[in-house]
Amino acid sequence: MRIASTIRLAATTAIIAGSLFAAVASARPPGIMYMHRFYSDASHTTQVGFYVDRCRNGDVVASPVNGTTSPYSTQEAVGSCPGGYW
């Protein structure tokens, strides 16, 4: 009797865990869109380029770069996709 109860409990737990996983997996958080700024050096005093992420068909995509890119950059969150701006 005790083994049957343990098996039922394990099966019920597995079903609940699977249901919770499916619910979390389907409730994907919106993608965050950023303003990307590029600078001439590590001091970040002279900006040399930038681009802003856009929302297209529910996906975050990058817009073309204005100016040039460099290894010295910053990112500032500007919105979410889908769901519009904050």
Side-chain angles (χ1 to χ4, degrees):
M1 190 69 155
R2 200 172 215 173
I3 293 173
S5 294
T6 303
I7 292 172
R8 274 193 297 251
L9 178 61
T12 303
T13 303
I15 291 169
I16 291 171
S19 297
L20 287 174
F21 177 77
V24 169
S26 66
R28 190 178 77 171
I32 304 299
M33 297 183 300
Y34 293 93
M35 161 71 95
H36 304 265
R37 291 184 174 96
F38 298 98
Y39 298 90
S40 61
D41 59 27
S43 68
H44 292 186
T45 54
T46 305
Q47 184 174 326
V48 295
F50 71 94
Y51 73 92
V52 181
D53 291 331
R54 303 280 185 222
C55 185
R56 182 178 297 145
N57 298 325
D59 294 320
V60 175
V61 295
S63 65
V65 174
N66 294 290
T68 60
T69 62
S70 80
Y72 310 103
S73 65
T74 61
Q75 294 181 1
E76 175 186 353
V78 294
S80 60
C81 175
Y85 290 96
W86 295 313

